[in-house]
């Protein structure tokens, strides 16, 4: 699932493949930009912003993309067969003399003036993996609504950018609080450490091929995806329930013993399903 760390990795792969090179192929397969031609322009850089990707191109242009649940960018050496999915799922192709970047299942793809990037990412809070990271501002953003459930506050990219459903569940576990605990009810010492803990987790994983919050090989996550297996700490079965505002529910995992606070009722273990993202 693409979160801040995996988007950071995608940006690095794209930057290494495209930056400083002239585009020899450009194909944006969305109706609004189907006639846009970027060939002959040099890619300046590819940079992440939270869970967004910004590909900056000569001439003051930026190709903005967002992966959400299923999107991906793949990089291929020219002449190599593409393997990211069927051709009808391709939304963007950017080619250079030696490599080609192919965007599959991209739910967000738009061509902007670089000066207008704020239209796409200006709403985001401090980026956990970005140069604008400000833990004080992130904490202030979170505490602005103390009645909001912890899990929902963490997913709101306006508070801090880069956390998705996996890190939401893992952070709540490490803080010892259920995702439904009002943020204002979290003990002050744990609230104070929240931004630093979130940054530590994402930084530790931005260079890893397999995400881990436990440090245990083969048991990579404390809570996410583990229901109904036993908790790694106390052996209580991990539970799962939806959390959200009704239109944007996400499967959420927690340990009823290690994490204190309210939980939904009735609690039922069920198969995980995809749903719409929170504020991106």
């Amino acid at each position: 699932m693409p979160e801040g760390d995996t988007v950071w990795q995608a940006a690095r792969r794209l930057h290494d493949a495209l930056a400083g090179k002239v585009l020899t192929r450009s194909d944006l397969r969305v109706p609004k930009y189907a006639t846009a031609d970027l060939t002959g322009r040099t890619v300046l850089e590819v940079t992440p912003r939270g869970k967004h990707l910004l590909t900056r191109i000569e001439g003051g242009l930026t190709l903005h993309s967002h992966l959400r649940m299923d999107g991906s960018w793949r990089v291929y050496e020219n002449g190599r067969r593409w393997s990211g999915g069927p051709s009808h799922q391709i939304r963007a192709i950017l080619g250079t003399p030696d490599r080609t970047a192919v965007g599959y299942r991209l739910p967000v793809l738009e061509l902007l003036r670089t000066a207008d990037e704020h239209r796409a990412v200006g709403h985001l809070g401090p980026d956990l993996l970005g140069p604008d990271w400000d833990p004080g501002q992130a904490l202030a953003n979170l505490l602005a609504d103390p009645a909001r459930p912890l899990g929902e506050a963490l997913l709101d990219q306006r508070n801090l950018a880069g956390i998705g459903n996996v890190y939401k569940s893992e952070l709540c576990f490490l803080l010892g609080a259920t995702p439904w605990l009002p943020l204002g009810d979290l003990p002050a010492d744990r609230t104070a450490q929240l931004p630093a803990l979130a940054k530590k987790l994402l930084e530790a994983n931005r260079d890893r091929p397999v995400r881990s919050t436990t440090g245990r090989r083969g048991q990579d996550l404390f809570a996410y995806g583990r229901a109904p297996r036993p908790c790694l700490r106390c052996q209580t079965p991990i539970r799962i329930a939806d959390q959200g505002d009704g239109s944007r529910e996400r499967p959420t995992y927690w340990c009823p013993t290690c994490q204190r606070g309210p939980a939904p009722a009735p609690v039922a273990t069920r198969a995980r399903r995809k749903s719409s993202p929170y504020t991106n």
Side-chain angles (χ1 to χ4, degrees), residues 89-149:
Q89 293 182 347
I90 294 173
R91 297 293 176 265
I93 302 171
L94 298 176
T96 72
D98 61 342
R99 294 184 185 181
T100 301
V102 185
Y104 290 90
R105 299 171 299 278
L106 301 174
V108 176
L109 185 71
E110 59 179 339
L111 191 61
L112 306 168
R113 301 297 303 182
T114 301
D116 294 332
E117 285 181 359
H118 63 277
R119 288 173 39 205
V121 297
H123 66 287
L124 298 175
D127 186 345
L128 283 154
L129 295 178
D132 71 317
W133 173 243
D134 183 339
Q137 184 59 57
L139 184 59
N141 292 345
L142 289 165
L143 292 176
D145 187 359
R148 193 173 192 186

Side-chain angles (χ1 to χ4, degrees), residues 20-91:
K21 298 178 182 179
V22 176
L23 292 174
T24 56
R25 183 176 181 182
S26 164
D27 187 357
L28 305 183
R29 298 182 180 180
V30 293
K32 186 175 181 179
Y33 305 108
T35 60
D37 185 5
L38 301 174
T39 56
R41 297 176 186 259
T42 299
V43 176
L44 304 178
E45 64 176 339
V46 182
T47 187
R49 180 72 174 86
K51 294 190 283 183
H52 299 247
L53 284 164
L54 302 171
T55 302
R56 295 174 179 143
I57 301 167
E58 180 186 17
L61 296 176
T62 295
L63 185 65
H64 164 236
S65 57
H66 194 293
L67 306 180
R68 291 196 177 161
M69 299 291 286
D70 300 314
S72 70
W73 278 97
R74 303 288 185 92
V75 175
Y76 303 97
E77 293 182 3
N78 288 349
R80 180 183 168 191
R81 182 180 179 182
W82 300 351
S83 57
S87 60
H88 71 266
Q89 293 182 347
I90 294 173
R91 297 293 176 265

Side-chain angles (χ1 to χ4, degrees), residues 7 23 31 40 70 90 93 136 139 158 180-181 248 258 262 274:
V7 172
L23 292 174
D70 300 314
I90 294 173
I93 302 171
L139 184 59
R158 296 169 298 183
W180 293 269
L181 181 76
R248 295 179 174 181
C258 293
K274 296 178 182 178

